[in-house]
Amino acid sequence: MLPLPIFQHHAPRTLEEVVALLGTHGADARLIAGGTDLLPNMKHGLVEPEHLISLAAVDELRGIAITDDHLVVGAMTTLDVIAGDARVREHAAGFAEACGLVGGPHHRRMGTLGGNVCLDTRCVYYNQTYFWRQSLGFCLKKDGTQCHVVSSGKNCVAAASNDSASTLMVLGGIIELRGPKGARSVAADDFYTPDGIYNTVKGRDEIVTGVRIPLRKGRSSAYEKLRRRASIDYPALSVAVRIDRDAEGAIEDADLVVSALASRPKRIKAAGRHLRGVDGDALPGAIQAAAEAAYKGSKPLTNIDQDPEWRREMARVLVRKALTRATTS
Ligand SMILES: Cc1cc2nc3c(=O)[nH]c(=O)nc-3n(C[C@H](O)[C@H](O)[C@H](O)COP(=O)(O)OP(=O)(O)OC[C@H]3O[C@@H](n4cnc5c(N)ncnc54)[C@H](O)[C@@H]3O)c2cc1C
Ligand code: SF4
């Protein structure tokens, strides 16, 4: 059994108290929501915070609401609640599907949106015990100087493995942040960076308070995920798509993002070009062209212990499945 290291636990009841604690303890503190990722990582010695700030009692961070033009989801809303919510399924089906495919039922019941949005990147050489990593000489992301995925690499390329990220990108999601310096909103597109060591623009002293997703008539979306065991595993590849139709039903805009390849989810721009303006008999050909574009644009690395060529081949399959569902729903 792996023991947890020693830390000081804080249990604030309001967002104001959380922000004050972040201001005091800054880089030495970590927020803990459901703890489904943070606690295993602490047991593996991957993160060693002196202070844990629990969000469990901060009720104002929970809930789902519809405003005039947005679907708003609080950071402490659990993934099972999001996946099962009729409003989320109606307005952002791909996002609901992604939340419903995270881990297993226990992870979704404990795991929150904020924790998923801020999930640490993963790598087969990193998500291991201290003893395992030590025997390999550690790596760039933690305690070492070398990358075992790209041996001459100067940057960590651990995989973005959170299911919600790519769906928030295609749906134009906005991440709401609060910190000692105030509040700010960052488009999901700008939130993730290609740095596997820390792949978001969130300051160490900031909290994600929630996510806003714009509402639009004629919009549909879908999410597909490749994983070894459908009952529990992280994505080995994932595909998020969005289709916007005009009043006549023609495809006005489309977006496709693939993830679990490198540290930042990747937009396949050509897919949108193939699909825009298409309808009727031309649709199967456009979907196939988008699938080919995703195959060409997907270059899986050995950061996940599943065959990169297989993951790449499956990009075609997942894109076809996701686009077929999104264009017929
Ligand atoms: C066996 C297993 C399988 C899993 N499978 C998947 C999977 O398929 N897909 C997937 O996406 N995830 C998976 N996970 C990871 C995890 O369960 C989910 O990502 C979950 O959503 C994390 O949420 P949490 O509330 O438990 O986060 P925590 O573990 O509490 O926190 C995760 C990180 O987010 C930070 N954080 C938490 N809340 C906030 C906030 N509001 N603002 C800023 N930072 C915050 C924490 O400081 C920490 O760095 C799996 C985990 C396990 C153990
Ligand atoms: S990609 Fe390289 S540096 Fe990053 S976690 Fe994996 S082995 Fe370490």
Side-chain angles (χ1 to χ4, degrees), residues 94-320:
F95 175 57
E97 287 168 12
C99 292
L101 289 172
V102 168
H106 303 86
H107 305 107
R108 296 194 289 275
R109 192 150 305 156
M110 286 299 293
T112 64
L113 178 60
N116 196 257
V117 165
C118 298
L119 189 76
D120 194 9
T121 55
R122 295 183 62 82
C123 174
V124 65
Y125 300 104
Y126 170 73
N127 294 98
Q128 303 288 354
T129 61
Y130 185 88
F131 173 73
W132 194 103
R133 292 184 295 114
Q134 186 183 39
S135 68
L136 200 69
F138 300 109
C139 80
L140 269 180
K141 185 162 159 79
K142 178 73 178 137
D143 300 323
T145 55
Q146 199 195 338
C147 176
H148 306 292
V149 174
V150 183
S151 53
S152 58
K154 301 261 181 301
N155 300 313
C156 169
V157 290
S161 303
N162 41 356
D163 285 292
S164 65
S166 52
T167 56
L168 291 175
M169 284 173 66
V170 295
L171 289 167
I174 296 153
I175 317 282
E176 301 292 355
L177 295 157
R178 269 285 291 278
K181 293 190 199 111
R184 63 183 180 125
S185 308
V186 180
D189 244 15
D190 302 324
F191 188 72
Y192 295 102
T193 73
D195 176 4
I197 293 181
Y198 190 73
N199 80 331
T200 76
V201 298
K202 183 185 85 63
R204 301 273 181 178
D205 59 356
E206 283 183 307
I207 173 176
V208 170
T209 55
V211 161
R212 277 187 298 127
I213 298 174
L215 304 177
R216 186 195 185 278
K217 261 196 156 161
R219 170 163 293 180
S220 53
S221 58
Y223 183 75
E224 290 285 341
K225 170 172 177 174
L226 178 70
R227 53 180 169 171
R228 184 179 283 140
R229 296 166 298 180
S231 54
I232 192 165
D233 278 322
Y234 286 92
L237 173 76
S238 65
V239 169
V241 300
R242 164 180 60 81
I243 297 288
D244 287 339
R245 292 188 184 273
D246 63 20
E248 276 72 51
I251 296 178
E252 192 171 270
D253 197 14
D255 197 11
L256 192 163
V257 169
V258 291
S259 194
L261 301 170
S263 305
R264 186 183 191 280
K266 182 173 183 183
R267 169 159 291 110
I268 306 294
K269 289 189 186 148
R273 285 201 294 276
H274 289 302
L275 288 155
R276 253 170 244 130
V278 169
D279 223 344
D281 293 346
L283 194 52
I287 289 177
Q288 186 57 34
E292 278 312 312
Y295 171 79
K296 286 196 187 117
S298 302
K299 307 223 165 52
L301 300 165
T302 54
N303 47 11
I304 292 177
D305 67 343
Q306 283 169 69
D307 181 35
E309 274 312 310
W310 175 63
R311 287 157 67 204
R312 190 171 184 216
E313 280 293 335
M314 288 302 287
R316 287 191 180 108
V317 179
L318 297 199
V319 169
R320 275 200 302 267

